[in-house]
Amino acid sequence: FDWYKANIACSKTDGGWYLPSITQLLGLFYFNSDTSWNRSTDYWSDTLISGRGFGLNTKLGILSFDMLRDEDHFICVRDKNSLASL
């Protein structure tokens, strides 16, 4: 999904789901063993700067900075105990 579609998909999920901030995304990746990650892609966050989106490159474990129309994976969050990976 591009950033726009990922954002809409999370917000349309019942229960108050949303794209995580870059800080939340990094915390889930590094400190939550319950989350299953595709280890060769980028994941979107809701964090935008200058018309680009920050994300996480799971192959290298580093931040990515992508055009909003790029196709990446995403994960939705609603609180620290609930998440959905899409």
Side-chain angles (χ1 to χ4, degrees):
F1 283 53
D2 67 23
W3 183 89
Y4 301 101
K5 289 178 184 173
N7 197 27
I8 289 168
C10 286
S11 67
K12 285 188 174 184
T13 304
D14 289 338
W17 296 89
Y18 57 92
L19 279 177
S21 69
I22 193 62
T23 305
Q24 289 173 310
L25 187 61
L26 290 170
L28 286 170
F29 183 72
Y30 285 109
F31 303 112
N32 184 329
S33 61
D34 294 336
T35 306
S36 296
W37 299 91
N38 180 324
R39 293 289 183 158
S40 62
T41 191
D42 291 342
Y43 280 81
W44 287 118
S45 78
D46 74 346
T47 308
L48 303 177
I49 296 178
S50 299
R52 291 183 180 247
F54 270 110
L56 171 68
N57 178 299
T58 55
K59 184 175 184 179
L60 301 174
I62 61 172
L63 294 177
S64 61
F65 193 55
D66 296 331
M67 302 275 296
L68 298 179
R69 292 290 180 197
D70 286 356
E71 298 282 323
D72 290 334
H73 286 76
F74 65 100
I75 192 167
C76 302
V77 297
R78 66 177 175 185
D79 64 41
K80 68 180 181 177
N81 297 315
S82 303
L83 53 98
S85 182
L86 302 170

